[in-house]
């Protein structure tokens, strides 16, 4: 009976957590994004402190934070500005796309002697490309809708950072407990920030190379599509596939020439294959230690809960779960199940559960 009650309590807790994640999305997602930006600021701050060193004095943390924040948000401002211009250009060109789509449809009907519109309508119903593109553009602009909230969270995280140590000491009076918790937090911070830094670097390389390919073929708003490729590159497994198909399909609709779409598909696809199979593994290695099946399940789960943002955050959240679960005996088996090789190291803070 005790085991049944325990299982029922766990099931209820899981349901409560999932429902909370769904209904508190507008609060939790900006907070997670702010935490990610904070980790990036810390990473950049560390690099700045190494590059800019005073003779015998250490640069103040607040000055490091200021330099790192100005650098990051300046880059973000430029990117958002360029994206806004690209989206505006796409919006102004929308009226031409449906006409090109009609011409391409007529060519296909003439060559294969079929009515492609009638066939497609049976499968997917009536679809207007212009309205579909507007939906995509609206989804992209929504990603920047919470920018002020995220910025506010980042500022307060930076302000609260100096008091973290004092709060940990107050929560865990024993020095052994303090050391264990600090090691856990440092491990989480280092692993997640390293992943984000390397993934961002790889995504930038992929986006820049794709931009030059798209610029060469003359696609409308190449920066917009390069930014989409950069963003989708954070989504494991299917992100690179979607990032290759999007501009390829769009250039066909823009020009009415399938051969141009095939060229983009091959060129951008080759970039994704080389970066994904050679450059990224070389840089990141197997440091994440996450099962491939777990990545797919996490992708589906967080994507269902939070959409595109959930897909992007699926790997960092899973890595964090493995690290935290590995530190406690009661959840250690879950961490082993989520890992790739079962090697998750020795727990550091079992004593917090009262176990020596």
């Amino acid at each position: 009976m005790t085991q049944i009650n325990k299982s029922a309590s766990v099931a209820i807790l899981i349901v409560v957590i999932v429902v909370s994640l769904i209904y508190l999305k507008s609060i939790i997602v900006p907070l997670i994004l702010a935490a990610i930006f904070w980790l990036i600021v810390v990473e950049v701050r560390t690099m700045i402190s190494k590059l800019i060193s005073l003779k015998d004095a250490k640069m103040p943390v607040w000055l490091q934070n200021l330099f790192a924040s100005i650098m990051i948000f300046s880059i973000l401002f430029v990117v958002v500005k360029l994206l806004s211009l690209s989206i505006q250009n796409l919006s102004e060109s929308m009226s031409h796309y449906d006409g090109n789509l009609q011409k391409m449809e007529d060519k296909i009907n003439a060559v294969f002697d079929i009515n492609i519109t009638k066939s497609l309508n049976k499968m997917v119903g009536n679809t207007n490309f212009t309205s579909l593109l507007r939906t995509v553009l609206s989804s992209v602009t929504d990603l920047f809708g919470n920018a002020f909230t995220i910025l506010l969270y980042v500022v307060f995280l930076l302000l609260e950072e100096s008091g973290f140590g004092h709060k940990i000491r107050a929560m865990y009076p024993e020095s052994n407990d303090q050391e264990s918790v600090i090691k856990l937090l440092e491990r989480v911070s280092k692993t997640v920030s390293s992943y984000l830094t390397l993934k961002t670097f790889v995504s930038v390389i992929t986006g820049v190379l794709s931009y030059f390919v798209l610029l060469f073929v003359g696609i409308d708003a190449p920066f917009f599509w390069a930014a989409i490729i950069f963003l989708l590159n954070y989504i494991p497994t299917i992100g690179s596939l979607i990032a290759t198909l999007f501009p390829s399909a769009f250039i066909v609709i823009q020009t009415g020439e399938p051969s141009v779409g095939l060229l983009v598909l091959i060129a951008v696809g080759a970039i994704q294959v080389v970066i994904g199979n050679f450059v990224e593994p070389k840089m990141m290695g197997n440091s994440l230690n996450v099962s491939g099946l777990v990545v797919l399940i996490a992708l589906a789960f967080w994507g269902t809960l939070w959409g595109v943002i959930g897909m992007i955050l699926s790997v960092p959240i899973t890595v964090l779960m493995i690290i935290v679960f590995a530190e406690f005996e009661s959840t250690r088996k879950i961490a082993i199940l989520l890992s790739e090789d079962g090697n998750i190291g020795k727990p550091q803070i079992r004593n917090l559960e009262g176990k020596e």
Side-chain angles (χ1 to χ4, degrees), residues 63-132:
L63 192 56
Q64 296 176 24
N65 284 334
L66 182 62
F67 280 149
S69 301
I70 290 174
M71 183 185 302
I72 293 170
F73 285 107
S74 296
I75 294 172
L76 286 176
F77 176 79
V78 173
V79 169
V80 171
K81 191 68 177 177
L82 291 173
L83 268 178
S84 300
L85 293 174
S86 297
I87 291 173
Q88 184 179 350
N89 291 336
L90 274 179
S91 300
E92 293 172 355
S93 304
M94 277 183 184
S95 58
H96 304 291
Y97 300 147
D98 285 328
N100 291 338
L101 194 60
Q102 184 63 48
K103 291 178 183 177
M104 189 174 64
E105 178 189 324
D106 293 338
K107 287 182 182 179
I108 295 174
N109 290 341
V111 172
F112 296 100
D113 193 25
I114 59 172
N115 188 334
I116 191 172
T117 304
K118 186 177 180 180
S119 301
L120 288 176
N121 283 343
K122 287 181 180 179
M123 293 186 290
V124 298
N126 293 314
T127 302
N128 181 274
F129 175 73
T130 302
S131 61
L132 179 62

Side-chain angles (χ1 to χ4, degrees), residues 253-264:
I253 295 168
Q254 177 189 322
T255 62
E257 296 293 335
S259 58
V260 183
L262 182 61
L263 174 63
V264 172

Side-chain angles (χ1 to χ4, degrees), residues 4-49:
I4 295 175
N5 291 337
K6 184 178 180 181
S7 300
S9 300
V10 171
I12 293 172
L13 179 62
I14 291 173
V15 171
V16 170
I17 291 173
V18 171
V19 171
S20 300
L21 289 173
I22 295 172
Y23 285 97
L24 298 178
K25 174 185 173 182
S26 59
I27 298 174
I28 298 174
V29 171
L31 185 59
I32 293 176
L33 291 174
I36 289 173
F37 275 113
W38 171 65
L39 288 174
I40 294 173
V41 169
V42 171
E43 195 76 10
V44 174
R45 182 181 74 195
T46 303
M47 290 188 291
I48 289 175
S49 64

